[in-house]
């Protein structure tokens, strides 16, 4: 079997087009959807992510505000900015790019964001709502993964799913979303004794560990759906400098039924769902307080 490739770029383009139309409709009603992005320090990866987020807003007809601070900024300065953004009715989404420098209490910063502007879905209240299956904001990467599975009509109810990775940003929330959708979910991680034995039972594998090509064909059941959230830069060898996922794409595509590539799989969906959450936030505000 050679797997069909799930084109995240094409799906992202489609969803972004829908988001732009929603943004236009809001403007027609006097509301300009707006996302505020805070970046502390100059970590190269974070700088690229923030630049891409701001550029994507513009293309989706969403206004963006960017606030940059030096790595040694006093956390009180950032907290004061968050308070001002919380109180500003023209701002619908607030995002603090992670990781933050060591002088910050990251959880406290995330808790300082108003829950109805927390478009990253990292506030403890939104995490709790997701756990209980209540409406709130869903973190963007897991939300993007769910959209991809939905776009392919992958059956989730009763499915055996193995999530590899237990991060707050991807592993834990995707496990909750899939559980809420009726899947039987196993979360594996660095302490798991026999990863391959778990993976071989899975109808759906979600890989989010950050280890280049660690999941190989011998670990995957024939006909499985494989979602690769990893984005790793290859250090040496003939492909040095190129990006790869946590899944060994070349071998796994020969046994899986459906597989996401890296790049061009889950990656483009993450920013797309940030845009969707921002527009959703503006729509909810308008419904609460008509312009
Ligand atoms: N750092 C890595 N991924 C993310 C993300 O999705 N949101 C934020 N705010 N920071 C991140």
């Amino acid at each position: 079997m050679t797997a069909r490739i799930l084109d995240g770029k094409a799906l992202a383009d489609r969803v972004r087009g829908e988001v732009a139309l929603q943004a236009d409709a809001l403007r027609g009603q006097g509301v300009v959807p707006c996302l505020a992005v805070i970046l502390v320090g100059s970590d190269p990866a974070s700088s690229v992510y923030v630049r891409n987020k701001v550029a994507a807003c513009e293309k989706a007809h969403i206004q963006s505000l960017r606030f940059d601070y030096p790595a040694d900024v006093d956390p009180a300065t950032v907290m004061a900015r968050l308070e001002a953004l919380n109180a500003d009715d023209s701002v619908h989404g607030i995002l603090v790019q992670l990781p933050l420098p060591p002088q910050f209490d990251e959880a406290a910063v995330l808790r300082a964001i108003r829950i109805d502007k927390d478009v990253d879905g990292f506030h403890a209240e939104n995490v709790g709502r997701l756990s209980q299956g209540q409406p709130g904001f869903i973190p963007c990467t897991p939300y993007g993964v769910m959209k991809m599975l939905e776009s392919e009509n992958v059956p989730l109810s009763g499915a055996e799913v193995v999530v590899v990775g237990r991060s707050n940003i991807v592993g834990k929330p995707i496990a909750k979303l899939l559980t809420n959708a009726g899947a039987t979910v196993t979360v594996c991680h660095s302490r798991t004794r026999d990863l391959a034995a778990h993976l071989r039972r899975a109808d759906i594998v979600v890989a989010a560990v950050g280890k280049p090509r660690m999941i190989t064909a011998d670990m995957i059941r024939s006909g499985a759906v494989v979602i690769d959230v990893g984005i790793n830069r290859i250090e040496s060898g003939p492909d040095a400098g190129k990006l790869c996922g946590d899944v060994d794409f070349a071998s796994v595509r020969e046994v899986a039924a459906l597989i996401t590539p890296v790049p061009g799989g889950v990656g483009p969906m993450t920013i797309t769902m940030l845009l969707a959450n921002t527009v959703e936030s503006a729509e909810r505000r308008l419904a609460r307080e008509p312009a």
Side-chain angles (χ1 to χ4, degrees):
M1 175 180 288
T2 300
R4 213 151 41 77
I5 294 173
L6 208 174
D7 183 346
K9 173 82 171 60
L11 179 61
D13 285 348
R14 207 157 66 235
V15 177
R16 287 185 201 204
E18 290 164 13
V19 169
L21 291 177
Q22 284 174 277
D24 292 345
L26 281 162
R27 279 174 194 250
Q29 295 173 85
V31 175
V32 178
C34 175
L35 173 69
V37 181
I38 293 179
L39 173 64
V40 182
S42 53
D43 172 70
S46 291
S47 303
V48 170
Y49 287 137
V50 165
R51 197 166 63 234
N52 290 345
K53 287 171 186 178
V54 167
C57 278
E58 191 176 339
K59 283 200 185 141
H61 310 173
I62 294 169
Q63 192 191 346
S64 63
L65 304 171
R66 178 174 169 166
F67 301 91
D68 286 76
Y69 297 95
D72 62 354
V73 67
D74 182 342
T77 306
V78 175
M79 293 303 238
R81 173 60 64 191
L82 284 176
E83 265 182 48
L85 292 169
N86 280 341
D88 184 340
D89 281 345
S90 69
V91 172
H92 306 99
I94 302 172
L95 179 153
V96 178
Q97 188 64 32
L98 304 177
L100 288 166
Q103 75 270 27
F104 281 86
D105 173 349
E106 209 160 86
V109 171
L110 297 175
R111 270 198 309 274
I113 298 171
R114 250 176 79 149
I115 56 167
D116 57 356
K117 297 189 181 189
D118 173 36
V119 286
D120 248 340
F122 293 163
H123 189 294
E125 167 80 21
N126 278 318
V127 175
R129 288 184 185 190
L130 179 60
S131 259
Q132 297 187 337
Q134 295 168 12
F137 285 113
I138 300 170
C140 305
T141 301
Y143 195 4
V145 170
M146 294 302 282
K147 271 267 174 205
M148 294 177 97
L149 292 170
E150 186 191 305
S151 77
E152 293 288 333
N153 297 313
V154 175
L156 300 180
S157 183
E160 289 281 342
V161 180
V162 172
V163 176
V164 191
R166 54 175 160 168
S167 71
N168 289 335
I169 291 181
V170 184
K172 285 177 193 156
I174 192 72
K176 285 181 205 153
L177 284 163
L178 289 162
T179 303
N180 292 347
T184 302
V185 181
T186 304
V187 180
C188 295
H189 44 76
S190 54
R191 304 286 176 89
T192 297
R193 282 205 299 266
D194 189 349
L195 175 64
H198 290 287
L199 284 171
R200 282 189 203 112
R201 287 189 298 105
D203 302 311
I204 303 171
V205 172
V206 180
V209 258
K211 292 215 173 115
R213 296 171 177 160
M214 73 163 286
I215 295 172
T216 46
D218 56 304
M219 303 174 176
I220 299 293
R221 224 175 93 169
S222 172
V225 172
V226 178
I227 307 287
D228 191 352
V229 184
I231 301 180
N232 311 291
R233 202 164 287 282
I234 302 165
E235 301 264 318
S236 57
D239 291 338
K242 285 195 188 157
L243 294 180
C244 76
D246 294 342
V247 173
D248 180 31
F249 185 83
S251 73
V252 171
R253 75 174 293 198
E254 297 305 327
V255 293
L258 188 64
I259 187 168
T260 64
V262 177
V266 176
M269 289 303 291
T270 295
I271 294 185
T272 302
M273 301 326 290
L274 172 68
L275 305 173
N277 275 347
T278 303
V279 164
E280 163 99 33
S281 177
E283 285 178 343
R284 286 186 202 165
R285 161 85 61 72
L286 187 62
R288 274 197 316 268
E289 300 158 25

